Amino acid sequence: TLATEDASTIEAVMSTTITTTIKIARKVLDVNNRLLADVYKPLGRCIAVIDDKVEALYGEELDAYFAHHGIDYTKSIVSGNEVDKDIRN
């Protein structure tokens, strides 16, 4: 750790640990499966960044799932092509 003489600026090396839960489930977009609803209902909304290939395959099911559970659902569809997977895009 480095600090200026008056300690008005301090430089330090820090790290953090993130803990998360991963759940594996089948038929997660079946409206009778409450897994996603139980996560997003208390938050009042779901904001999703979706690969355009995923949107083509599951977009209608995603829309129907969140509508069925009364969850405000906003999606941003992005290109899933390898050429587009760059931090500058």
Side-chain angles (χ1 to χ4, degrees):
T1 302
L2 301 173
T4 57
E5 194 168 306
D6 66 355
S8 63
T9 303
I10 301 171
E11 292 185 24
V13 176
M14 295 184 227
S15 64
T16 185
T17 301
I18 298 173
T19 303
T20 190
T21 301
I22 298 171
K23 296 187 179 198
I24 299 172
R26 295 185 189 275
K27 299 183 180 182
V28 72
L29 297 179
D30 180 327
V31 295
N32 296 311
N33 184 332
R34 295 209 38 93
L35 186 65
L36 292 175
D38 290 345
V39 170
Y40 291 103
K41 190 73 169 181
L43 301 173
R45 66 181 179 168
C46 174
I47 300 172
V49 178
I50 303 174
D51 178 307
D52 60 347
K53 308 321 182 261
V54 172
E55 171 65 16
L57 293 169
Y58 300 104
E60 289 179 13
E61 286 181 77
L62 283 160
D63 295 344
Y65 182 89
F66 288 104
H68 175 83
H69 290 285
I71 299 168
D72 183 34
Y73 175 57
T74 303
K75 59 185 170 182
S76 175
I77 302 166
V78 297
S79 173
N81 297 323
E82 289 303 316
V83 70
D84 298 320
K85 294 178 182 177
D86 188 288
I87 195 72
R88 294 170 291 204
N89 292 336

